[in-house]
Amino acid sequence: MQEKLSLAIVSDIACPWCFIGKARLETALAQFGLADRFAITWLPYELNPEMPAAGMDRTQYLDAKFGPGKRKEIEVRLSEAALESGVTFNWGKVTKSVNTRLAHMLVAAASTVQRGSEMKAALFKAYWQDGRDVGDLDTLVAIAVEQGFDEQAARDQLASEELRDTVIGLENRMREIGVTGVPFFIVDGKLALSGAQPPDVWAQVFQQVFAERQRDEQPQF
């Protein structure tokens, strides 16, 4: 069996480009037959760490961040970018901008049993397509149960100060290494890629990674 290469993905559930970037990566992995060659790790990053725990009205948030009346323009641009990836956004249901700290904790908990990717996918769908409040504790517990996790175990994890500190530590570490926006990808521990890149860019990345791997594995005389 071939050794899997690491692929760390720094992202936020509240980031629509992260949803698109995930889909584009998955398309590239499938297209080049590499889905089984990478071990994916999800790393937390909060675009809005100062977001109130209860969240805030999404239109008000976007008006404050980008200027009044920009929401429609932003959503059209995102929908166009998402089309080729098979991603859809249900803008009418996305009424709240959320604090994602608890959601990141849920992904971290799921990752301990190798279910991080499934949980991340469930959270993206819950927020961007179903309009669920993924900043709400009870909503997150319900999503965990839907993914096959025990309800009380999920509540315990989301109340864990140790897990919270771990997530905060990882977020701080991402900023320390220079991550200023997401999605951000770290391939094989050394090659960094920023943004929701299309499959043709990923093709170049894969080629470079495997070429470097092959070179490193050549016997030295």
Short mmCIF file of all heavy atoms in Angstrom, two decimals, residues 70-103:
data_model
loop_
_atom_site.label_atom_id
_atom_site.label_comp_id
_atom_site.label_asym_id
_atom_site.label_seq_id
_atom_site.Cartn_x
_atom_site.Cartn_y
_atom_site.Cartn_z
N LYS A 70 -24.52 45.53 -1.14
CA LYS A 70 -23.57 44.69 -1.89
C LYS A 70 -23.95 43.21 -1.86
O LYS A 70 -23.37 42.41 -2.60
CB LYS A 70 -22.16 44.85 -1.31
CG LYS A 70 -21.53 46.21 -1.55
CD LYS A 70 -21.11 46.36 -2.99
CE LYS A 70 -20.31 47.64 -3.19
NZ LYS A 70 -19.91 47.81 -4.60
N ARG A 71 -24.91 42.84 -1.02
CA ARG A 71 -25.17 41.41 -0.82
C ARG A 71 -25.52 40.70 -2.13
O ARG A 71 -24.96 39.64 -2.44
CB ARG A 71 -26.29 41.21 0.20
CG ARG A 71 -26.68 39.74 0.34
CD ARG A 71 -27.62 39.43 1.48
NE ARG A 71 -27.92 38.02 1.50
CZ ARG A 71 -28.53 37.39 2.49
NH1 ARG A 71 -28.90 38.05 3.57
NH2 ARG A 71 -28.77 36.09 2.42
N LYS A 72 -26.42 41.25 -2.90
CA LYS A 72 -26.87 40.59 -4.13
C LYS A 72 -25.71 40.40 -5.10
O LYS A 72 -25.54 39.32 -5.70
CB LYS A 72 -27.99 41.41 -4.78
CG LYS A 72 -28.67 40.69 -5.95
CD LYS A 72 -29.43 39.46 -5.47
CE LYS A 72 -30.15 38.77 -6.61
NZ LYS A 72 -30.83 37.53 -6.15
N GLU A 73 -24.91 41.43 -5.26
CA GLU A 73 -23.76 41.36 -6.16
C GLU A 73 -22.79 40.26 -5.73
O GLU A 73 -22.29 39.48 -6.56
CB GLU A 73 -23.05 42.72 -6.15
CG GLU A 73 -21.80 42.79 -7.00
CD GLU A 73 -21.09 44.13 -6.83
OE1 GLU A 73 -21.78 45.14 -6.56
OE2 GLU A 73 -19.85 44.15 -6.97
N ILE A 74 -22.54 40.17 -4.43
CA ILE A 74 -21.64 39.15 -3.89
C ILE A 74 -22.20 37.75 -4.14
O ILE A 74 -21.49 36.83 -4.58
CB ILE A 74 -21.42 39.37 -2.37
CG1 ILE A 74 -20.63 40.66 -2.14
CG2 ILE A 74 -20.72 38.17 -1.73
CD1 ILE A 74 -20.64 41.13 -0.70
N GLU A 75 -23.48 37.59 -3.91
CA GLU A 75 -24.11 36.27 -4.06
C GLU A 75 -24.15 35.82 -5.51
O GLU A 75 -23.94 34.64 -5.81
CB GLU A 75 -25.50 36.30 -3.44
CG GLU A 75 -25.46 36.43 -1.93
CD GLU A 75 -26.82 36.62 -1.28
OE1 GLU A 75 -27.82 36.81 -2.00
OE2 GLU A 75 -26.89 36.58 -0.03
N VAL A 76 -24.38 36.74 -6.43
CA VAL A 76 -24.38 36.39 -7.85
C VAL A 76 -22.99 35.91 -8.27
O VAL A 76 -22.84 34.90 -8.97
CB VAL A 76 -24.83 37.59 -8.71
CG1 VAL A 76 -24.55 37.33 -10.18
CG2 VAL A 76 -26.31 37.87 -8.50
N ARG A 77 -21.98 36.63 -7.84
CA ARG A 77 -20.60 36.26 -8.19
C ARG A 77 -20.25 34.88 -7.64
O ARG A 77 -19.63 34.05 -8.33
CB ARG A 77 -19.62 37.31 -7.67
CG ARG A 77 -18.19 37.10 -8.16
CD ARG A 77 -17.33 38.31 -7.88
NE ARG A 77 -16.96 38.39 -6.46
CZ ARG A 77 -17.41 39.32 -5.63
NH1 ARG A 77 -18.25 40.25 -6.05
NH2 ARG A 77 -17.02 39.33 -4.37
N LEU A 78 -20.65 34.62 -6.41
CA LEU A 78 -20.36 33.31 -5.80
C LEU A 78 -21.12 32.19 -6.51
O LEU A 78 -20.57 31.11 -6.74
CB LEU A 78 -20.73 33.35 -4.32
CG LEU A 78 -19.76 34.08 -3.40
CD1 LEU A 78 -20.40 34.38 -2.06
CD2 LEU A 78 -18.48 33.26 -3.20
N SER A 79 -22.37 32.43 -6.84
CA SER A 79 -23.18 31.41 -7.52
C SER A 79 -22.58 31.06 -8.87
O SER A 79 -22.55 29.89 -9.27
CB SER A 79 -24.62 31.90 -7.68
OG SER A 79 -25.27 31.95 -6.43
N GLU A 80 -22.10 32.07 -9.59
CA GLU A 80 -21.47 31.82 -10.89
C GLU A 80 -20.20 31.00 -10.73
O GLU A 80 -19.94 30.07 -11.50
CB GLU A 80 -21.16 33.16 -11.58
CG GLU A 80 -22.40 33.90 -12.06
CD GLU A 80 -22.09 35.29 -12.59
OE1 GLU A 80 -20.94 35.77 -12.39
OE2 GLU A 80 -22.99 35.90 -13.21
N ALA A 81 -19.40 31.33 -9.71
CA ALA A 81 -18.16 30.59 -9.47
C ALA A 81 -18.43 29.15 -9.04
O ALA A 81 -17.66 28.24 -9.32
CB ALA A 81 -17.33 31.30 -8.40
N ALA A 82 -19.56 28.96 -8.37
CA ALA A 82 -19.89 27.63 -7.83
C ALA A 82 -20.45 26.68 -8.87
O ALA A 82 -20.35 25.46 -8.72
CB ALA A 82 -20.88 27.78 -6.68
N LEU A 83 -21.04 27.23 -9.92
CA LEU A 83 -21.75 26.40 -10.90
C LEU A 83 -20.91 25.26 -11.44
O LEU A 83 -21.34 24.11 -11.47
CB LEU A 83 -22.24 27.26 -12.06
CG LEU A 83 -23.59 27.95 -11.87
CD1 LEU A 83 -23.90 28.82 -13.08
CD2 LEU A 83 -24.69 26.93 -11.65
N GLU A 84 -19.68 25.56 -11.85
CA GLU A 84 -18.82 24.56 -12.48
C GLU A 84 -18.42 23.46 -11.50
O GLU A 84 -18.03 22.37 -11.92
CB GLU A 84 -17.55 25.24 -13.03
CG GLU A 84 -16.67 25.79 -11.93
CD GLU A 84 -15.60 26.75 -12.45
OE1 GLU A 84 -15.93 27.75 -13.09
OE2 GLU A 84 -14.43 26.47 -12.18
N SER A 85 -18.53 23.75 -10.21
CA SER A 85 -18.12 22.78 -9.19
C SER A 85 -19.28 21.92 -8.70
O SER A 85 -19.09 21.03 -7.88
CB SER A 85 -17.50 23.51 -8.00
OG SER A 85 -16.49 24.39 -8.42
N GLY A 86 -20.48 22.23 -9.16
CA GLY A 86 -21.64 21.49 -8.71
C GLY A 86 -22.14 21.92 -7.35
O GLY A 86 -22.97 21.24 -6.74
N VAL A 87 -21.62 23.04 -6.85
CA VAL A 87 -22.05 23.57 -5.56
C VAL A 87 -23.21 24.53 -5.77
O VAL A 87 -23.22 25.31 -6.72
CB VAL A 87 -20.89 24.32 -4.86
CG1 VAL A 87 -21.38 25.13 -3.67
CG2 VAL A 87 -19.82 23.34 -4.42
N THR A 88 -24.21 24.44 -4.91
CA THR A 88 -25.31 25.41 -4.96
C THR A 88 -25.44 26.09 -3.60
O THR A 88 -25.20 25.48 -2.56
CB THR A 88 -26.64 24.72 -5.30
OG1 THR A 88 -26.89 23.68 -4.34
CG2 THR A 88 -26.61 24.13 -6.70
N PHE A 89 -25.80 27.35 -3.66
CA PHE A 89 -26.07 28.12 -2.45
C PHE A 89 -27.55 28.47 -2.42
O PHE A 89 -28.12 28.88 -3.44
CB PHE A 89 -25.27 29.43 -2.45
CG PHE A 89 -23.78 29.24 -2.33
CD1 PHE A 89 -22.97 29.27 -3.46
CD2 PHE A 89 -23.18 29.05 -1.09
CE1 PHE A 89 -21.60 29.13 -3.35
CE2 PHE A 89 -21.81 28.89 -0.98
CZ PHE A 89 -21.01 28.93 -2.12
N ASN A 90 -28.15 28.31 -1.28
CA ASN A 90 -29.56 28.66 -1.11
C ASN A 90 -29.62 29.98 -0.35
O ASN A 90 -29.84 30.02 0.86
CB ASN A 90 -30.30 27.57 -0.35
CG ASN A 90 -31.81 27.74 -0.42
OD1 ASN A 90 -32.31 28.83 -0.70
ND2 ASN A 90 -32.53 26.67 -0.16
N TRP A 91 -29.39 31.08 -1.08
CA TRP A 91 -29.21 32.37 -0.44
C TRP A 91 -30.43 32.81 0.37
O TRP A 91 -30.28 33.48 1.40
CB TRP A 91 -28.87 33.44 -1.48
CG TRP A 91 -27.61 33.17 -2.25
CD1 TRP A 91 -27.50 32.96 -3.59
CD2 TRP A 91 -26.29 33.08 -1.72
NE1 TRP A 91 -26.18 32.72 -3.93
CE2 TRP A 91 -25.43 32.79 -2.80
CE3 TRP A 91 -25.75 33.19 -0.43
CZ2 TRP A 91 -24.05 32.64 -2.64
CZ3 TRP A 91 -24.37 33.04 -0.27
CH2 TRP A 91 -23.54 32.76 -1.37
N GLY A 92 -31.60 32.43 -0.07
CA GLY A 92 -32.80 32.84 0.65
C GLY A 92 -32.88 32.28 2.06
O GLY A 92 -33.56 32.85 2.92
N LYS A 93 -32.18 31.17 2.29
CA LYS A 93 -32.21 30.55 3.61
C LYS A 93 -31.06 31.00 4.51
O LYS A 93 -31.10 30.78 5.73
CB LYS A 93 -32.19 29.02 3.48
CG LYS A 93 -33.51 28.44 2.99
CD LYS A 93 -33.50 26.92 3.14
CE LYS A 93 -34.87 26.32 2.82
NZ LYS A 93 -34.89 24.86 3.02
N VAL A 94 -30.01 31.59 3.91
CA VAL A 94 -28.85 31.99 4.70
C VAL A 94 -29.12 33.38 5.26
O VAL A 94 -28.76 34.40 4.67
CB VAL A 94 -27.55 31.98 3.87
CG1 VAL A 94 -26.34 32.24 4.77
CG2 VAL A 94 -27.38 30.64 3.16
N THR A 95 -29.78 33.43 6.39
CA THR A 95 -30.23 34.70 6.95
C THR A 95 -29.32 35.24 8.04
O THR A 95 -29.43 36.40 8.43
CB THR A 95 -31.65 34.56 7.54
OG1 THR A 95 -31.61 33.54 8.55
CG2 THR A 95 -32.64 34.15 6.45
N LYS A 96 -28.41 34.41 8.52
CA LYS A 96 -27.57 34.81 9.66
C LYS A 96 -26.10 34.55 9.36
O LYS A 96 -25.73 33.53 8.78
CB LYS A 96 -27.99 34.03 10.90
CG LYS A 96 -27.22 34.39 12.16
CD LYS A 96 -27.60 33.51 13.33
CE LYS A 96 -28.93 33.93 13.93
NZ LYS A 96 -29.18 33.23 15.23
N SER A 97 -25.24 35.50 9.76
CA SER A 97 -23.81 35.25 9.82
C SER A 97 -23.51 34.70 11.20
O SER A 97 -24.02 35.23 12.20
CB SER A 97 -23.02 36.54 9.55
OG SER A 97 -23.11 36.90 8.19
N VAL A 98 -22.72 33.64 11.26
CA VAL A 98 -22.61 32.89 12.50
C VAL A 98 -21.20 32.92 13.09
O VAL A 98 -20.21 33.12 12.39
CB VAL A 98 -23.02 31.41 12.28
CG1 VAL A 98 -24.49 31.31 11.90
CG2 VAL A 98 -22.14 30.76 11.21
N ASN A 99 -21.14 32.70 14.40
CA ASN A 99 -19.88 32.44 15.08
C ASN A 99 -19.58 30.95 14.91
O ASN A 99 -20.42 30.11 15.23
CB ASN A 99 -20.00 32.79 16.56
CG ASN A 99 -18.71 32.57 17.33
OD1 ASN A 99 -18.17 31.48 17.35
ND2 ASN A 99 -18.21 33.62 17.96
N THR A 100 -18.41 30.61 14.37
CA THR A 100 -18.14 29.22 13.99
C THR A 100 -17.23 28.46 14.96
O THR A 100 -16.79 27.36 14.64
CB THR A 100 -17.54 29.16 12.57
OG1 THR A 100 -16.37 29.99 12.52
CG2 THR A 100 -18.54 29.61 11.52
N ARG A 101 -16.96 29.03 16.13
CA ARG A 101 -16.06 28.35 17.07
C ARG A 101 -16.55 26.95 17.42
O ARG A 101 -15.81 25.96 17.36
CB ARG A 101 -15.90 29.21 18.33
CG ARG A 101 -15.12 28.57 19.48
CD ARG A 101 -13.65 28.33 19.14
NE ARG A 101 -12.99 29.54 18.72
CZ ARG A 101 -12.59 30.55 19.51
NH1 ARG A 101 -12.84 30.50 20.81
NH2 ARG A 101 -11.96 31.59 19.01
N LEU A 102 -17.83 26.81 17.78
CA LEU A 102 -18.37 25.50 18.15
C LEU A 102 -18.35 24.54 16.96
O LEU A 102 -18.10 23.34 17.13
CB LEU A 102 -19.79 25.63 18.69
CG LEU A 102 -19.94 26.21 20.10
CD1 LEU A 102 -21.42 26.40 20.44
CD2 LEU A 102 -19.28 25.31 21.14
N ALA A 103 -18.62 25.05 15.77
CA ALA A 103 -18.59 24.20 14.57
C ALA A 103 -17.19 23.64 14.34
O ALA A 103 -17.02 22.47 13.98
CB ALA A 103 -19.08 24.98 13.35
#
